[in-house]
Amino acid sequence: MRFIKVWCEYDISGEFGGNNNEAVYQVEEGSDVGLLVDNLICGSINMDKDENFEEEMEGLYDWEYITISKLGV
């Protein structure tokens, strides 16, 4: 399992400019993470992923792999 952090200028819950615009997700090894994130963003903001999606959303969202550390015992 791997973990990613997704950020979006829209709230992950769908509103623009709110305070829930970052979230961490667990993804399966070998998954097409870019496609999963695109689908997440489209579903969150009720936008169809058509030929204009990447152009319209350029710079408004991204994701990166992160490492989760365990605190304590």
Side-chain angles (χ1 to χ4, degrees):
M1 291 291 172
R2 302 207 54 194
F3 296 91
I4 60 170
K5 178 180 83 170
V6 177
W7 70 266
C8 183
E9 289 297 323
Y10 291 84
D11 271 359
I12 299 296
S13 63
E15 297 177 16
F16 185 77
N19 62 1
N20 286 333
N21 62 346
E22 289 186 358
V24 172
Y25 296 93
Q26 185 174 352
V27 294
E28 297 282 336
E29 292 283 340
S31 296
D32 183 342
V33 178
L35 179 61
L36 293 173
V37 171
D38 286 355
N39 290 337
L40 168 70
I41 299 301
C42 287
S44 294
I45 64 174
N46 294 320
M47 178 182 225
D48 290 329
K49 187 173 181 204
D50 57 17
E51 64 277 353
N52 298 321
F53 173 77
E54 300 228 358
E55 182 179 316
E56 292 176 19
M57 293 298 292
E58 184 175 352
L60 295 178
Y61 76 103
D62 204 357
W63 65 272
E64 64 183 318
Y65 285 105
I66 60 171
T67 301
I68 303 292
S69 299
K70 184 176 180 180
L71 287 174
V73 282

